[in-house]
Amino acid sequence: MREWIAVFKRGIAIDNPLTVLMIGLCATLAVSTKVEGALFMGLAVIFVLGMSSVIVSSIRHLVPEKVRIPVFIVIIASFVTIVDLTMKAFVPDVYDFLGVWIPLIVVNCMILGRAEAFSYHNPVRLAVADGLGMGSGFAIVIVVLAFIRELFGSGEIVFLGANLLSLPDGYPAPGILVLFPGAFIVFGFIVALTAWYNRRTTGRTVETSAHCTIEEGGR
Amino acid sequence: METLQHFALLLVGGALVNNILLTRFIGLCPFFGVSGAMETSVGMAGAVVFVMTLATTATWVFWNVLLEPLGVGEFLYIPAFILVIAALVQFVEMYLRKSSPALYRSLGIFLPLITTNCAVLATATESVRPGFFMMGIDYGFGFGEALVYTIGVAIGFGIALISFAALRERLEVAPVPEAMKGIPMAFITAGLLSFGYVGLGGLFGL
């Protein structure tokens, strides 16, 4: 059980897919203009990553090394299709907002990278922990990023039509935070902050890397 | 004339106004991954133009000949497209290795990377799925439109990647605070670069 928790926690902090491993960035920056969209994106990724970890890990002895990548892709694509159709049916507004980003979860290198680097070599129990941990790490960062951008960029947070939080009326909202440059800049500061925190707590510099090859998706 | 203008708008809209990297964040992994060196960026840009054009051609035909007439496009487009693209990239790689070793040497190492690049899948999807496209067009593209739009997007990808690589070469020697060194500073730089693209928004009413 302790091992399970350790694997789960690693995805959230020390090996966070976004701020440390630097995988799956595209969707993060693009959908973080609204907390609502970011939250659903996070949930979609947790679901796809968790479920595909289970399947990949449970069939790992049956799948030959040579055809593993296409097999992973088909597994992931099936779960993404489930999310695609479910969201379209139940939360059409969010679906329209996320648009092309839902099908793009298939090629989100985070999911293929974890299947390749972790689930394919580990028992189901740990693969689930890794999937849920990495998914949660992704969801936390994307929601934080969206929170900063929506609150300070537009002065209020609107969630499913309800106004959750708003700044005082005279607040001059710098719209640039909601536009695309804001995403890069706010995320740059979040990465710097995580690097600083990780160095303080672990006493070592955690190398941030920005690689998206299947071959080197982690350890 | 009307059509010529339409195609020109698609090209400019795809390349600059809706730049795939800096304004829409699609395909960011190679943007940060290979932009460390100028030479690899140029190679990557070339490979993307090549693969993206082929991929959209293949998926457009696949969608319009097979998926759409059979009425299964809605459910099957995600796995179908990704498999078509993956298979296509494999074939291109094999073909290049045999037929044109020089071209293979310059593009070859990037090809497997491109399979999992969301830019290719996104462009292929946008070209056939009405409603995913941002420029106020709510129908699936005709073949010519899809091709011109894809080439525009790929050129935009190349421009952004190469200009960012040039900036990062200068960044190597710039005095940067300890905590911001490397990737964080690269993000801030990309943010500043994308400010330029905010200015292009609304160009020709796109």
Side-chain angles (χ1 to χ4, degrees), chain B residues 18-206:
Chain B
N18 289 317
N19 186 286
I20 193 160
L21 284 172
L22 288 169
T23 76
R24 302 178 53 205
F25 310 113
I26 301 178
L28 280 184
C29 303
F31 187 60
F32 288 101
V34 305
S35 62
M38 195 64 185
E39 208 173 306
T40 46
S41 306
V42 175
M44 184 73 186
V48 165
V49 173
F50 186 64
V51 171
M52 212 184 248
T53 313
L54 278 179
T56 307
T57 312
T59 50
W60 191 93
V61 171
F62 198 71
W63 170 274
N64 282 286
V65 173
L66 208 61
L67 293 183
E68 186 67 357
L70 290 177
V72 293
E74 195 68 17
F75 325 104
L76 279 184
Y77 76 102
I78 300 174
F81 280 14
I82 190 79
L83 287 180
V84 167
I85 293 171
L88 184 81
V89 173
Q90 284 283 308
F91 280 124
V92 168
E93 195 184 348
M94 283 191 260
Y95 176 76
L96 278 187
R97 190 181 297 170
K98 287 273 180 258
S99 70
S100 161
L103 193 61
Y104 179 76
R105 266 197 302 280
S106 56
L107 297 186
I109 52 166
F110 300 106
L111 288 176
L113 264 172
I114 292 176
T115 319
T116 51
N117 186 344
C118 35
V120 177
L121 182 65
T123 313
T125 310
E126 280 175 338
S127 299
V128 294
R129 291 259 301 183
F132 274 171
F133 186 59
M134 306 171 101
M135 278 152 60
I137 298 174
D138 55 357
Y139 56 86
F141 279 157
F143 187 67
E145 286 172 310
L147 206 58
V148 169
Y149 172 68
T150 307
I151 292 172
V153 168
I155 290 172
F157 185 98
I159 293 173
L161 183 64
I162 292 169
S163 56
F164 186 56
L167 281 176
R168 274 187 83 173
E169 285 195 346
R170 299 296 295 267
L171 208 57
E172 290 288 307
V173 293
V176 175
E178 188 58 37
M180 302 292 287
K181 273 216 172 88
I183 295 291
M185 202 58 212
F187 270 100
I188 311 271
T189 313
L192 297 177
L193 183 60
S194 73
F195 266 114
Y197 285 83
V198 180
L200 291 171
L203 192 73
F204 310 124
L206 291 171

Side-chain angles (χ1 to χ4, degrees), chain A residues 149-156 167-178:
Chain A
R149 285 180 71 195
E150 192 180 1
L151 185 62
F152 296 108
S154 67
E156 57 182 9
L167 292 175
D169 268 347
Y171 175 71
I176 202 73
L177 276 181
V178 184

Side-chain angles (χ1 to χ4, degrees), chain A residues 8-17 19-20 133 137 194 197-198 206:
Chain A
F8 180 78
K9 265 166 60 181
R10 221 184 48 210
I12 295 180
I14 198 84
D15 270 348
N16 188 292
T19 57
V20 181
T194 334
Y197 177 79
N198 277 344
V206 179

